[in-house]
Amino acid sequence: MSQENTEETQATETTETFEPKIMAFVCNWCTYAGADLAGTSRMEYRPNVRIIKLPCTGRIDPLFIIKAFENGADGVLVSGCHPGDCHYTAGNYHAKRRWIAFRSLMEFTGIDTRRLQFSWISASEALKWVDLINNVTDEIKALGPFMDFKNLKG
Amino acid sequence: MENLYLPKLVTIEDAYLETPDVKSFRLVFKDEALRESFTFKTGQFGLYSAFGLGESTFCISNAPTRKGYIQCTFRKTGRVTGGLFDLSIGDTMGFRGPFGNHFPIDEWKGKDITFIAGGIGLPPVRSVILNCLDRREDFGDITIVYGSRCVEDLVYKNELQHWNDRDDVALYQTVDPGGETPDWKGEVGFVPMILEKAAPKPKNSIAVICGPPIMIKFSLSVLEELGFSDNDVYTTLENKMKCGVGKCGRCNVGDIYICKEGPVYTAAEIKKMYYDF
Amino acid sequence: MEKALREKARELLTTGEANVIIGYEWNRRKTRATPAFITKADEVDRLIFNPLCVNNLSIYLTRKNKDILRMGKPAIVAKGCDIKNIVVLISEGQVKREDVVIIGMSCNGVVYKQGLWKGELRPEIMPVKCHNCDVRNPHLTDFVIGDHIDFTPPETPRGMVFDKIAALDAKTPGERWSFWLEEFSRCIKCYACRQACSLCYCERCITEKNVPQWIETSAHQRGNIAWNLVRAMHLAGRCTFCGECERSCPANIKLNLVNQKLVLTVKDAFDFKSGYDEKIHPPMIVFSPDDTENFIK
Amino acid sequence: MKAMYLKKAELGKLISSVQDSGALFVGPVVDAGNVVYKEIGSASELTGDYIIPVTTYKQWVFPQTEVVATFAVTKEGVDLDGVDLDPPDVVVFGARACEAASLASLRSVFTWGEDDEFYTRREDRITVITVGCTAIDDECFCTTVELSPASTTGSDIYLRETTDDEYMAVAVTKKGEAFIKAHHGVFHQKRAAEPELVELKLPEPIKGIKKEKISAWLARTDNYQSELWPRLTRKCFGCGACTFSCPTCHCFDITDEGTAFGGERRKNWDACQFDHFTAHASGHNPRDTQFKRWRNRFMCKFKYYPDKFKTTGCVGCGRCIRVCPVRLDITEVMEEISQISE
């Protein structure tokens, strides 16, 4: 892993001012648009989230989530269109099936599922996005750095 | 500690886009002492690193007679070459080498030499060509047959022009049927056919081939018909390599480790190998 | 039973209904069963069938083994559990039903690892799948060899794997994490689990895709965790719990636990068990608007 | 040096003595149902009840994954660091005679031409203490490849069990002598009558196998295309279990890990049985089907190693047979080749 990560981890461990890194995988049509709306409406929310935009939640491979944790994410958020609203008709339904299995696997492996959150946010739900990010950030801040993955021997 | 796997840092001094997916670099060592002391023989190869992506093997395409730098040419195909392709002048990459054996040019004094290359097979041959041209008086007739799929895919276009202009080199450029452009002045046809047309004399003569396997196969039979002895036909074998020093165990053709004992072989030697291509 | 099998094999080869019989034969010492490929009718006597025939031969029907596909139309000697994998292969479009002759074998169970065999099939040496087997009389076949077996599996599946899953579920996430860290740390990245699995039929596995390198190929903890989680995930809703991955693992990693956990999850969430009906799509490529979960906010 | 004796009950003392000297003590332990070599803390972890551990101790001379260089990419260029390897001393206890012979084979590859110091530095600091086999199984075939439980090749110290729960220790190499001297408090000389040794168990050499016939047959390049290869080995489905548990397999991969800003270059075990092992970037693969890959493994053991490196490529430990999920038995192929060449 990059040295940047390890340095930052060490820094956060020693101070009270831990700022979690949260990776958000969002779909282009709903959640990203929602986040965009939050931005253009000048709403303020926690700066801890880094957004990766994908065409659809159906494109989100569970591997992305593992990779995010490997690269130092303290939490991962996955978000897309509400059921029935998918731009590609059914991508989010497929994604939902996948998440059900993947979340169960992560839980079984002992990964704290509070670090892996899922939501549906539409293009108009800027407020929901703001609340979600604030809540998730607070929750993960309380949990502290995700040492399970950061401590893995490389 | 002597670390076999530690590359030397080199700077890209010049970069040149040969075709849409083939690039040439001119590299100089960061370490100035090494610039002076580094030598290699024509036909040897190196391992080039794109840091964070890995290492890839290709030949050194300039001639040892032109010192102080390394040239290489590669096609963008995978992870490492893709990474190297994205680098540009001033960037740093890694180099390990030179590895392998070389073309026995000194034994060829006074002989005619025919170079046969296809596509990205020209770079290894170029090293020999340049070497021979730099000592032009040592050799007899020099014939070059070079072809690619289409005009766009020809590498070293400037140099081809230069060779074409020379009186003491017979250059046959060709592209596969359908690959020509309206203003194409060279030949049209597959390399073996053009080789047949060029018909180099087999007596007191050497042939050097490099290119895709199918081209090598048919060119070999043309050479055989022309009367070339298998001992006078040289080619370079390429296999996937990782270490370059005969340890990692993947480049072997039967019991022969290409990276240490190759890559240059005569057709006669290849015919004696285990069929592991 | 072996006699009937050999007769059937001879018949298939002589009539040309099949070009190769994929079955089992003895090793030289006659201590182990090993896969055999019989192409000539006069070689059918090499075929055997007994509790040592533990390999899931459906692996040889996949595109990973091209040189076997080139031998012509196969007839495969398959136990019920192996047929489950063939069913998944058919439902995923990997094999056409008419392209394979399935010789179903009635089976009373196999031994988990052949080394445990002392000439007698005892419950202790049988894998969990055999104790809960509902396909001792094979379900999708062209021919069935052997007598009908009366065996009713327990209503709710039982056995060590299920007990361990329950025990792990009862632990804290931290305890589970250390358990799996210890298990996966033993992984040596030999990929026997992948190669033994007939449902891992990709010609280029995700670990071999390197632009970018998704899964680190080094056998360190990070690479091992990523590999094992992704392997399990890729089998979600597809794994038939044949157990070949765990049996093949030279490091004895408890892969059956993760696999079975996902089998149970899929059963609970989508009411689906893989390997029974070749006409139904696997659950991960379809959906229902009624799928429910409790974690999406 | 005269034979010395070591009480089994005093192994704990030996272990602490080794650990006090700063060395790692590696021995066979039961781990998840397998007997494997592991670094141990105390004698209670050791097991004596094994034929041969499933894993090899080659991981202490040739680790499964190791960093060969680190790099950081900055605006100014690349900071590249080699590794100055200073491995710990390692004592491997309870090795078997077959496996001990393998270090010479590995060394021959890693020192052919240039020295791979990642290997040699580690091997220079390993002390192998072999215990003569008193139990064997069907898969053992050391006697077929001209070794035996009594051979001391590659061992630094060779131990034989005695009937009164001791080991008789013979130093084979200078390193072994030095080891006994360094830990002289644990070894003692027998004063009373000569002890009775537990008899060694030797596997019966497989009669059908003739080593010279195999080499002669393999030497003929036309046999490389023999129908025997696909016929006998098509059941192999291409996992790396055999190569990773083989004490003489040495193939590795060099791979970069990290981000665009920095990372490390690693040397990882690789296996000639994997389909992408030899695949070219162009898509061409010289060993495109499994039997060709298996053939390479066999040729490597019985032709390339002996011819090129003058060492044995196969020590007959039988691990590849035991771990093989499809039970592809290398001795069956050896036997078949010996027979067709008659």
Side-chain angles (χ1 to χ4, degrees), chain B residues 160-192:
Chain B
L160 288 170
Q161 189 57 46
H162 173 68
W163 296 340
N164 206 15
D165 293 344
R166 283 180 76 136
D167 300 335
D168 52 357
V169 175
L171 175 70
Y172 295 82
Q173 297 181 63
T174 177
V175 291
D176 290 354
E180 68 271 24
T181 51
D183 55 350
W184 172 243
K185 297 208 177 55
E187 310 276 350
V188 175
F190 297 112
V191 169

Side-chain angles (χ1 to χ4, degrees), chain D residues 45-60:
Chain D
E45 294 171 50
L46 280 178
T47 175
D49 179 23
Y50 65 102
I51 308 290
I52 188 163
V54 179
T55 54
T56 62
Y57 60 75
K58 88 174 165 190
Q59 55 186 300
W60 280 277

Side-chain angles (χ1 to χ4, degrees), chain C residues 222-279:
Chain C
R222 209 170 53 228
N224 287 349
I225 294 257
W227 160 245
N228 281 286
L229 290 182
V230 169
R231 189 203 62 84
M233 189 58 207
H234 283 187
L235 287 165
R238 308 170 60 228
C239 175
T240 64
F241 194 48
C242 76
E244 280 290 275
C245 50
E246 182 172 314
R247 188 184 68 83
S248 301
C249 179
N252 282 354
I253 298 171
K254 295 187 183 64
L255 298 169
N256 276 345
L257 294 186
V258 256
N259 290 340
Q260 183 58 41
K261 175 70 191 179
L262 284 173
V263 170
L264 292 171
T265 303
V266 167
K267 172 91 178 50
D268 286 349
F270 318 123
D271 194 25
F272 181 88
K273 279 165 85 184
S274 66
Y276 291 89
D277 190 341
E278 78 278 14
K279 292 182 190 73

Side-chain angles (χ1 to χ4, degrees), chain D residues 277-296:
Chain D
F277 185 66
T278 51
H280 293 190
S282 65
H284 172 70
N285 191 349
R287 297 181 206 134
D288 54 354
T289 44
Q290 195 55 40
F291 83 86
K292 293 183 184 168
R293 302 189 268 271
W294 203 90
R295 176 180 66 191
N296 180 69

Side-chain angles (χ1 to χ4, degrees), chain A residues 105-118:
Chain A
L105 176 67
M106 294 301 259
E107 195 172 7
F108 189 58
T109 325
I111 286 160
D112 194 330
T113 42
R114 286 172 295 181
R115 295 188 184 273
L116 176 55
Q117 307 236 7
F118 300 87

Side-chain angles (χ1 to χ4, degrees), chain A residues 1 61-64 66-67 70 90 93-94 96-112 117-120 128 132 139 148-149 151-154, chain C residues 165 168-169 173 176-177 180-181 206 213-216 220-222 225-226 229-230 233 257-258 261-262 265 269-270 283-289 291-293 295-297:
Chain A
M1 288 296 94
D61 192 311
L63 195 54
F64 297 176
I66 296 175
K67 205 73 193 164
E70 273 187 6
Y93 284 115
H94 286 287
K96 185 159 88 173
R97 281 218 159 183
R98 216 172 292 150
W99 298 344
I100 291 171
F102 185 63
R103 192 173 177 275
S104 156
L105 176 67
M106 294 301 259
E107 195 172 7
F108 189 58
T109 325
I111 286 160
D112 194 330
Q117 307 236 7
F118 300 87
S119 73
W120 305 130
K128 185 174 175 188
L132 180 76
E139 197 173 347
D148 282 0
F149 257 89
N151 282 340
L152 287 182
K153 285 192 208 104
Chain C
I165 291 177
L168 274 173
D169 278 340
R176 285 201 293 271
W177 179 253
W180 286 112
L181 206 56
I206 186 77
Q213 185 75 48
W214 282 111
I215 296 177
E216 289 170 333
H220 48 42
Q221 281 183 339
R222 209 170 53 228
I225 294 257
L229 290 182
V230 169
M233 189 58 207
L257 294 186
V258 256
K261 175 70 191 179
L262 284 173
T265 303
F270 318 123
M284 286 298 159
I285 64 165
V286 292
F287 67 90
S288 151
D291 291 337
T292 49
E293 38 58 42
F295 57 85
I296 304 182
K297 286 177 194 155

Side-chain angles (χ1 to χ4, degrees), chain C residues 5-21:
Chain C
L5 171 65
R6 288 168 188 167
E7 277 320 304
K8 183 49 80 187
R10 195 188 315 275
E11 183 194 315
L12 289 170
L13 287 173
T14 28
T15 58
E17 262 182 88
N19 305 102
V20 53
I21 311 286

